[in-house]
């Protein structure tokens, strides 16, 4: 494996993988994981639910939480670039049962994300089809699945290159949106000076109060989800000591730029009572970004945005396949799944894991026949809660990692990347995360629907059934990840009689990346200061 020396002891799950991801791949893969349908199509619903102020606050608060999650990821993944990433850290510093639980929950997360994205793909393509079209709904997801298999068989380099160019398209689109949004808001184009008027209408800036605010948190978490995949890709980075810290730093800047500014402009231009803001059809024609482009006089905005959204979904599914196969590889290599799943070919592709993920994807086609929109909302509830669980556990594992590092008399300066703001940043982020998780639990239990009784009208019964389904969806989304995790952790610990790992005996070396002289030379600053600054930003 390129970049390794004979002094390095490989972890079992690192065997057979190729270090073929460059810095530009690492950065763009991380960006691709954070910018997708959650921002392009559903960001408007957060404003419609909680107003411009509530939506902006939700994105800012979860963004702060995520900044310190990324810092924790950067510190440990730079030192230990394992394919299981943070899912493998629990077995090193806490208890093997925690790694078992986190790995399986993270696989479940991506196994659910694939059908969610596939369900969305059929809806997006239908935008270009005539109303009487007989084109089957299952054809687009099936073609995407076949393409995913081909791409993944080509190896990690092909995956990284595709993600790079998909991400470039998304970044260009958001930059265009921000420029258009500023000009539209100021009245330079479109002929209307919006300013902050949308913040002063009925319901604004905090529509629905506290309940409206916490209602949006899971969907905002879903929109941010995927940022943590930088840790997974570290295992196939050519130089984790350089690439992981750079990816972490630049992603933080771009989250602030892309998400916060975009939500602020959307909330300033489109009133929270605009029916198109909800985008109930999940169509690019009424997506919030499209509305702003249309106000700027870009007549082809709907077609352009639909193309961008489709490539975003394709990119997301590409990432889903990559992450799901690597998590399965880690599960197999650690003895938590059948050993045959850990097989990799000469190109470093985990073939059996890829086959399993492909089968799961084919089964997901069932969601199209039961209603892709309904299925998508259920998936978002589950995925958002699993993401929150992963983030809070990453922070707790970082605390434990630092404790083990100190207990073994290792100085902080020996870490190849040091998380800034530790421990206070982690404390703030953990507090935010715990409060958000408790808020989602609270939201799932309040206001249960009331049966209208035997004399109810058909309309009342329909409304009751919809409210009952939504109530069950919220309960399942909020509590399933924690109940499932508890069952996984306790059952593994009882069956295997695992022991709590003492800090002095924690394994902080197996799988550690030891840079060669060429790697060290690559990490040294090159070129004039202005070029280095531009590279840091882009």
């Amino acid at each position: 494996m390129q970049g390794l020396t004979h002094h390095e002891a490989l972890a079992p799950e690192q065997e057979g993988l190729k270090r073929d991801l460059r810095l530009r791949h690492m950065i763009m893969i991380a960006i691709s994981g954070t910018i997708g349908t959650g921002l392009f199509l559903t960001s408007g619903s957060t404003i419609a639910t909680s107003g411009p102020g509530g939506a902006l606050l939700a994105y800012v608060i979860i963004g702060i939480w995520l900044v310190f999650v990324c810092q924790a990821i950067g510190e440990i993944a730079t030192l230990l670039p394992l394919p299981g990433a943070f899912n493998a850290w629990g077995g090193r510093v806490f208890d093997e049962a925690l790694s078992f639980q986190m790995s399986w929950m993270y696989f479940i997360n991506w196994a659910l994300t694939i059908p969610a994205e596939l369900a969305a793909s059929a809806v997006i393509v239908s935008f270009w089809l005539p109303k009487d079209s007989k084109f089957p709904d299952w054809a687009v997801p099936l073609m995407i699945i076949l393409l995913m298999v081909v791409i993944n068989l080509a190896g990690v380099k092909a995956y990284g290159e595709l993600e790079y160019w998909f991400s470039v398209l998304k970044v260009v689109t958001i930059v265009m949106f921000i420029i258009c949004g500023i000009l539209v808001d100021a009245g330079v184009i479109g002929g209307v000076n919006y300013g902050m008027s949308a913040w002063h209408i009925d319901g604004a800036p905090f529509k629905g109060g506290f309940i409206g605010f916490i209602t949006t948190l899971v969907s905002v978490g879903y929109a941010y989800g995927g940022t943590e995949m930088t840790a997974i890709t570290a295992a196939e980075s050519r130089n984790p000591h350089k690439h992981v810290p750079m990816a972490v730093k630049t992603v933080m800047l771009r989250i602030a730029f892309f998400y916060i500014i975009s939500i602020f402009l959307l909330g300033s231009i489109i009133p929270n009572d605009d029916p198109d803001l909800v985008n109930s059809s999940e169509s690019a024609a009424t997506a919030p970004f499209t509305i702003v482009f249309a106000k700027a006089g870009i007549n082809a905005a709907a077609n352009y945005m639909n193309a961008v959204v489709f490539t975003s979904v394709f990119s997301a599914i590409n990432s889903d396949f990559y992450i799901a196969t690597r998590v399965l590889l880690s599960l197999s290599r650690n003895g938590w799944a059948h050993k045959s799943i850990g097989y990799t070919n000469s190109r470093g592709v985990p073939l059996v894991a890829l086959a399993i993920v492909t089968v799961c994807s084919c089964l997901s086609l069932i969601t199209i026949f039961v209603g892709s929109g309904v299925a998508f909302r259920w998936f978002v509830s589950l995925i958002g809660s699993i993401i929150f669980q992963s983030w809070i556990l990453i922070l707790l594992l970082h605390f434990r990692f630092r404790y083990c590092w100190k207990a073994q008399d290792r100085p902080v300066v020996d870490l190849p990347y040091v998380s800034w703001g530790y421990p206070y940043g982690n404390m703030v982020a953990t507090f935010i995360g715990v409060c958000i998780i408790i808020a989602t639990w609270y939201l799932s239990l309040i206001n249960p629907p009331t049966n209208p009784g035997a004399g109810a009208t058909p309309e009342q019964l329909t409304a009751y059934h919809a409210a009952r389904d939504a109530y069950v969806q919220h309960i399942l989304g909020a509590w399933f990840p924690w109940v499932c995790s508890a069952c996984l952790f306790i059952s593994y610990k009882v069956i295997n009689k695992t022991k709590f790992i003492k800090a002095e005996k924690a394994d902080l070396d197996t799988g550690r990346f030891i840079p060669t002289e060429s790697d060290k030379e690559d990490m040294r600053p090159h070129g004039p200061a202005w070029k280095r600054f531009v590279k840091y930003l882009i």
Side-chain angles (χ1 to χ4, degrees), residues 179-195 265 269:
I179 293 172
C180 286
I182 292 172
L183 295 176
V184 169
D185 191 47
V188 176
I189 56 178
V192 179
N193 187 348
Y194 294 93
L265 289 171
I269 296 171

Side-chain angles (χ1 to χ4, degrees), residues 49-122:
T49 302
S50 60
L56 186 64
L57 183 62
Y59 273 91
V60 168
I61 288 178
I62 294 185
I64 291 171
W65 179 13
L66 192 52
V67 161
F68 292 104
V69 170
C70 286
Q71 284 295 306
I73 286 172
E75 182 172 293
I76 308 179
T78 303
L79 181 78
L80 299 170
L82 307 173
F86 44 84
N87 301 301
W89 301 342
R92 299 291 189 92
V93 300
F94 184 76
D95 191 307
E96 187 178 324
L98 183 61
S99 280
F100 174 82
Q101 171 248 305
M102 288 186 68
S103 296
W104 273 109
M105 287 304 297
Y106 201 60
F107 174 72
I108 291 170
N109 172 61
W110 291 106
L112 291 173
T113 303
I114 291 173
E117 300 288 359
L118 284 170
S121 69

Side-chain angles (χ1 to χ4, degrees), residues 433-457:
V434 169
C435 288
I436 289 175
I437 290 167
I438 291 174
T440 60
W441 290 345
Y442 169 75
L443 181 67
S444 71
L445 297 176
I446 63 172
N447 300 325
T450 303
N451 194 318
T457 64

Side-chain angles (χ1 to χ4, degrees), residues 221-506:
Y222 174 79
Y224 272 130
T227 313
E228 72 285 341
M229 71 171 61
T230 303
I232 306 289
T233 57
E236 293 172 272
S237 163
R238 290 194 172 189
N239 189 345
H241 282 198
K242 177 182 178 181
H243 297 171
V244 175
M246 287 293 290
V248 167
K249 291 176 184 177
T250 53
V251 166
M252 288 189 299
L253 290 174
R254 285 165 175 152
I255 284 174
F257 181 73
F258 294 146
Y259 276 89
I260 305 304
I261 294 179
S262 295
I263 294 299
F264 174 76
L265 289 171
L266 286 173
S268 299
I269 296 171
I270 310 174
N272 62 69
D273 56 0
D274 188 324
D276 284 340
L277 199 59
V278 179
N279 193 24
S280 57
S281 65
E282 295 179 2
S283 166
T286 56
F289 276 58
T290 306
I291 295 171
V292 174
F293 278 130
K295 290 179 183 291
I298 303 176
N299 297 326
N303 281 297
Y304 174 76
M305 279 308 303
N306 207 58
V308 172
V309 170
F310 181 75
T311 58
S312 297
V313 170
F314 189 89
S315 166
I317 297 170
N318 191 26
S319 294
D320 298 346
F321 264 74
Y322 172 83
I323 299 297
T325 55
R326 269 53 182 184
V327 174
L328 270 179
L329 174 71
S330 176
L331 283 163
S332 172
R333 297 286 178 84
N334 283 291
W336 304 327
H338 196 276
K339 63 181 181 179
S340 64
I341 298 174
Y343 169 75
T344 57
N345 66 9
S346 59
R347 291 189 296 275
V349 178
L351 290 179
V352 181
L354 176 60
I356 292 172
V357 173
T358 302
V359 171
C360 292
S361 303
C362 292
L363 292 174
S364 72
L365 296 176
I366 298 171
T367 62
I368 295 172
F369 299 104
V370 300
S372 57
V374 173
F376 185 78
R377 287 191 293 272
W378 280 76
F379 285 134
V380 168
S381 295
L382 290 168
I383 295 165
S385 294
I386 295 174
I387 288 169
F388 285 165
Q389 183 185 89
S390 296
W391 290 353
I392 201 72
L393 289 177
I394 288 168
L395 290 170
L396 296 177
L397 284 173
H398 189 215
F399 279 120
R400 179 65 184 171
F401 168 79
R402 277 295 191 96
Y403 180 79
C404 295
W405 191 262
K406 183 179 180 180
Q408 296 181 12
D409 295 322
R410 304 189 189 210
V412 174
V413 292
D414 284 355
L415 290 169
Y417 176 73
V418 178
S419 170
W420 56 263
Y422 184 89
Y424 305 108
N426 277 36
M427 291 177 181
V428 170
T430 302
F431 176 76
I432 291 173
V434 169
C435 288
I436 289 175
I437 290 167
I438 291 174
T440 60
W441 290 345
Y442 169 75
L443 181 67
S444 71
L445 297 176
I446 63 172
N447 300 325
T450 303
N451 194 318
T457 64
E459 291 78 12
Q460 289 175 322
L461 284 174
T462 300
Y464 167 71
H465 291 151
R468 182 191 58 189
D469 291 346
Y471 188 69
V472 173
Q473 173 192 328
H474 290 149
I475 290 178
L476 183 64
W479 294 95
F480 168 78
W482 298 97
V483 173
C484 186
S485 292
C487 292
L488 288 170
F489 180 87
I490 294 170
S491 61
Y492 188 85
K493 189 166 183 63
V494 170
I495 293 171
N496 294 279
K497 298 179 173 60
T498 59
K499 301 290 184 181
F500 180 76
I501 295 171
K502 295 182 179 179
E504 297 79 9
K505 296 183 178 180

